[in-house]
Amino acid sequence: MSIQQTDVLYTAVATAENGRDGRVATDDGTLDVVVNPPKEMGGSGTGTNPEQLFAAGYSACFQGALAVVARQEKADITGSTVTAKVGIGKNADGFGLIVEISAGIPNADPATARTLLEKAHQVCPYSKATAGNITVTLT
């Protein structure tokens, strides 16, 4: 279900120059980074790249969703971490992404941790945006 423009609480604005081999900056100046293709894709690898930026955003958003779910379930996620691995590769349409979300939840048994991850995946806006578009694996 999509939101309506009147329901928007915040809008991030970023502008890229020269695509994957240039610079990306936010309108408020809090993010201003050089982007370069990784060495694995023939680039210099000296800057960050879109996949790293996506992984950073997805992991942070998923951690927030995990916190929401943990509060609802009265679960202790103190000391938890969420890592997003974002891969890029060739597919029938040119290129595509694949994501692996892994979490460490030290105060939860494996079954509880798995339940929390699955519920967070249903809540996370990044997960909702990628549903049906890319493969996302939870571990």
Side-chain angles (χ1 to χ4, degrees), residues 74-108:
K74 296 180 179 29
D76 182 5
I77 63 163
T78 303
S80 66
T81 60
V82 172
T83 301
K85 295 179 182 178
V86 175
I88 185 170
K90 292 184 179 180
N91 65 15
D93 298 327
F95 285 89
L97 299 176
I98 188 167
V99 176
E100 178 184 337
I101 300 288
S102 59
I105 308 174
N107 297 323

